[in-house]
Amino acid sequence: MHIKKFIDNYQEFKKIHFKKYEKLFEELALKGQSPKTLFIGCSDSRVVPDLITGAKPGDLFVFRNIGNFVPPFKPDNDFHATASAIEYAVSVLEVRDIIICGHSHCGACESLYKEIPQNIELIHIKKWLEIGEPAKEIAIDTVGTEDNELLLRTTEKASILVQLQNLLTYPAVKERVEADKLFLHGWYYKIESGEIEYFDEEEGDFKPIEP
């Protein structure tokens, strides 16, 4: 989309959409934000959290990165952006829910099965994808490598579970989960159908979100 289209859309936003929430924006500006949910999603342009959830301004604290990965807690790691977003949401905003939202046809999960060139232009991507390696191992152990489509879809779902486990390595997250003050959710968004599946802990599997 050409940049002019975004500018035209901004003009429409000011005239129509902003007016719809004008009082809400004024209140949010004066009183600050108090979202109850942290949404960790993929940077993929096809995944739009507000559109998927119907959230209004102020409803979601959104953090997006390649693959919706959560690096394990480590005070001296190189992934401060993701870690600081989690810490801020949990310890400052005191959100009640965290959603890890993975999706179908995820480029990050597919890249786990490709050789990333050793060059300076991709050095951060190569390092970042290491977070997804456990999901790759789980998927291969579960379904093998003969059916590539099944392997990729399984990797995408396994990755969501890995990131949920990584969340629990953060002391504040673990403490609040154990105190029933924070609840973690694994969602799998199907780009091609708009459907969302959630991870059912009791069943140990992903199930469609029913109306």
Side-chain angles (χ1 to χ4, degrees), residues 86-129:
I86 292 168
E87 291 177 356
Y88 187 79
V90 173
S91 298
V92 179
L93 296 175
E94 298 184 342
V95 296
R96 291 274 298 173
D97 298 278
I98 299 178
I99 298 170
I100 298 285
C101 185
H103 66 93
S104 62
H105 308 285
C106 178
C109 288
E110 185 176 357
S111 294
L112 295 173
Y113 297 93
K114 297 179 179 179
E115 184 64 32
I116 305 298
Q118 291 278 9
N119 63 58
I120 195 67
E121 294 178 358
L122 300 175
I123 187 171
H124 293 101
I125 292 176
K126 190 174 181 68
K127 181 68 176 176
W128 181 253
L129 288 175

Side-chain angles (χ1 to χ4, degrees), residues 51-111:
L51 185 63
I52 294 170
T53 64
K56 300 190 301 297
D59 285 347
L60 294 178
F61 188 72
V62 178
F63 187 82
R64 301 172 68 175
N65 61 39
I66 292 176
N68 46 270
F69 288 169
V70 174
F73 177 80
K74 188 180 178 184
D76 60 347
N77 71 24
D78 297 322
F79 306 122
H80 301 300
T82 302
S84 61
I86 292 168
E87 291 177 356
Y88 187 79
V90 173
S91 298
V92 179
L93 296 175
E94 298 184 342
V95 296
R96 291 274 298 173
D97 298 278
I98 299 178
I99 298 170
I100 298 285
C101 185
H103 66 93
S104 62
H105 308 285
C106 178
C109 288
E110 185 176 357
S111 294

